[in-house]
Amino acid sequence: MARRYDPERRQRIIDAAIRVVGRAGIAGLSHRTVAAEADVPLGSTTYHFATLDELLVAALRQTNECFAIAVRENPVLGDPEVDLAAELARLMETWLAGDRRASAELEYELYLAALRRPALRPVAAEWTEGVVEALAPLTDPATARALVAMMDGICLQVLLTDAAYDGEYAREMLARILG
């Protein structure tokens, strides 16, 4: 029997893993649940990802890109006349609102999984570094790192407590960091 050529299968498996984690959490992730979600044979998931950690690394890397890209590609952030703190607060508000909230929750679930899964730690660090690199040209590396820590903390508090996002508070705290 000829082997079926399916160049997008690996990506479908990653997308399926993200959907499974979004619906059932990391505890619901297995090669079997991902194979069923991706509509591929079980052997395909283990062919592309020998371990669940490998699959989680790929899923985390894919979800991590979204916020860093939003920061990097925001044309307003490069304008020296723009209030950087206000624009970052607006980006967080967009990130945490409506349909994007589920994305943010999924991203943080994968991000926090690095606490118990050392294989995920370098990818979690990539997220931080990606956002720091995007902000550093607008300020300096140390301030960029402090901004990322503040934004990370605010987002986590909103997601974990179901508190309403307070854009004015976020803007004020980010402005304090910016001096």
Side-chain angles (χ1 to χ4, degrees):
M1 177 184 247
R3 187 175 199 168
R4 192 172 132 210
Y5 178 67
D6 186 357
E8 273 117 49
R9 184 173 288 190
R10 184 177 193 282
Q11 184 59 51
R12 284 200 330 271
I13 292 168
I14 294 168
D15 293 342
I18 290 169
R19 288 191 304 273
V20 168
V21 171
R23 183 176 57 247
I26 289 175
L29 187 75
S30 69
H31 283 287
R32 190 170 306 284
T33 59
V34 171
E37 180 73 24
D39 195 26
V40 299
L42 178 59
S44 289
T45 64
T46 57
Y47 172 80
H48 289 286
F49 304 98
T51 67
L52 286 179
D53 278 353
E54 285 179 24
L55 183 53
L56 282 169
V57 163
L60 179 57
R61 187 164 278 130
Q62 183 169 311
T63 60
N64 274 355
E65 294 172 353
C66 298
F67 190 76
I69 289 170
V71 172
R72 236 186 344 268
E73 294 181 355
N74 185 320
V76 176
L77 287 178
D79 182 348
E81 300 298 314
V82 167
D83 178 350
L84 181 57
E87 187 58 24
L88 291 173
R90 189 196 63 73
L91 269 174
M92 283 193 299
E93 182 170 29
T94 301
W95 189 247
L96 293 169
D99 294 342
R100 308 269 347 248
R101 184 177 177 103
S103 253
E105 287 173 356
L106 171 64
E107 183 174 332
Y108 273 102
E109 179 162 4
L110 289 167
Y111 179 66
L112 292 173
L115 290 170
R116 300 274 185 221
R117 294 176 180 259
L120 297 177
R121 289 180 185 158
V123 184
E126 284 173 18
W127 177 87
T128 300
E129 291 308 313
V131 180
V132 167
E133 286 172 14
L135 292 174
L138 307 173
T139 176
D140 62 78
T143 302
R145 186 165 300 286
L147 289 169
V148 170
M150 177 61 74
M151 292 187 304
D152 207 15
I154 290 170
C155 288
L156 270 172
Q157 286 179 3
V158 168
L159 293 170
L160 293 174
T161 64
D162 282 330
Y165 175 74
D166 184 344
E168 185 49 38
Y169 168 79
R171 190 207 60 73
E172 182 181 333
M173 294 300 108
L174 294 168
R176 287 183 186 187
I177 291 169
L178 288 164

